Amino acid sequence: EVQLVESGGGLVQPGRSMKLSCAASGFTFSNYGMAWVRQAPTKGLEWVATISYDGSSTYYRDSVKGRFTISRDNAKSTLYLQMNSLRSEDTATYYCTRVSSGSSGYYFDYWGQGVMVTVSS
Amino acid sequence: DIQMTQSPPSLSASLGDKVTITCQASQNINKYIAWYQQKPGKAPRLLIRYTSTLESGTPSRFSGSGSGRDYSFSISNVESEDIASYYCLQYDNLPWTFGGGTKLELK
């Protein structure tokens, strides 16, 4: 069974940093791209960042470029999101997702339960 | 960026009804659209990929269709467990973009 378990969220002041982790199990982690998707309170879903299966390629939405870094440790089956210079608009539940690999393109097939990040003074 | 215009934002249905949600992309997305269900306080769940392919475990009352810029998602015979929010996702081009969501409620 695929499991994605996020950790590391909480309350942080504007301008400070926070690092999220996502522990994966139930599949061969090193074979899949991974991504972070967030959801502000009462709002819709918003893609944040994606990393390729081997970490060689990363992609970010414009609003987080230069502030967020996605990374992975395939030996530990763990995905990370380092978030610097946090802003109030980064307040959201952050979901760790697996990126499907197949002929149907690259979409998000499995999701973690999410971790809340609140940016406030 | 490709914009996904999802409608309606909310929908009220009776048990047994058929409901349809639409997503219009700002450009051709070559059928690379997925549909997700999200219940309150839970993570999204993938229901359909590549316009109309049901994921394992997705009930057959769910369906998807479309091409080019225009796509639809339907639930025939709405059941109480279908009360949730639904989102479309285009994955034809970076950045991945979601529709604004549709909240399905019981009438």
Side-chain angles (χ1 to χ4, degrees):
Chain A
E1 178 194 4
V2 172
Q3 287 201 15
L4 300 169
V5 180
E6 302 95 337
S7 60
L11 175 65
V12 62
Q13 293 180 329
R16 302 299 290 264
S17 298
M18 177 174 277
K19 187 172 186 176
L20 305 181
S21 299
C22 170
S25 61
F27 64 102
T28 304
F29 183 72
S30 58
N31 285 353
Y32 288 86
M34 298 292 295
W36 292 96
V37 175
R38 68 185 179 185
Q39 186 171 35
T42 73
K43 301 296 184 183
L45 301 166
E46 181 177 83
W47 167 74
V48 175
T50 295
I51 187 167
S52 60
Y53 70 99
D54 61 356
S56 62
S57 298
T58 56
Y59 310 90
Y60 300 92
R61 70 179 300 105
D62 285 348
S63 62
V64 307
K65 275 180 191 172
R67 299 190 300 122
F68 289 13
T69 301
I70 189 172
S71 62
R72 63 191 298 157
D73 184 335
N74 283 348
K76 294 183 179 179
S77 296
T78 302
L79 176 72
Y80 303 102
L81 185 67
Q82 176 69 46
M83 304 183 291
N84 299 332
S85 303
L86 282 160
R87 306 168 180 168
S88 59
E89 55 263 38
D90 296 318
T91 294
T93 295
Y94 285 73
Y95 293 101
C96 167
T97 72
R98 191 180 81 168
V99 179
S100 72
S101 59
S103 58
S104 296
Y106 297 95
Y107 52 92
F108 314 123
D109 58 359
Y110 287 93
W111 299 59
Q113 84 286 355
V115 62
M116 184 68 199
V117 173
T118 302
V119 184
S120 174
S121 54
Chain B
D1 297 6
I2 296 176
Q3 308 303 316
M4 299 297 288
T5 303
Q6 184 172 341
S7 61
S10 63
L11 195 49
S12 184
S14 300
L15 297 178
D17 280 356
K18 178 176 180 178
V19 299
T20 298
I21 298 167
T22 63
C23 268
Q24 183 175 67
S26 56
Q27 66 188 64
N28 179 11
I29 57 171
N30 299 299
K31 295 193 169 187
Y32 288 109
I33 187 169
W35 293 93
Y36 295 86
Q37 176 191 66
Q38 186 179 32
K39 296 185 178 181
K42 300 294 186 182
R45 170 195 169 196
L46 175 66
L47 298 177
I48 290 174
R49 60 181 162 88
Y50 199 57
T51 296
S52 59
T53 302
L54 269 60
E55 285 298 290
S56 174
T58 300
S60 59
R61 64 180 180 276
F62 293 92
S63 64
S65 64
S67 63
R69 294 176 56 209
D70 298 306
Y71 298 85
S72 62
F73 167 86
S74 295
I75 311 173
S76 60
N77 274 336
V78 167
E79 298 188 5
S80 56
E81 66 183 34
D82 302 334
I83 301 309
S85 293
Y86 293 86
Y87 294 89
C88 63
L89 164 73
Q90 74 78 21
Y91 55 100
D92 184 54
N93 271 327
L94 283 174
W96 287 267
T97 47
F98 292 88
T102 296
K103 187 173 183 179
L104 176 61
E105 298 173 318
L106 269 181
K107 195 178 291 183

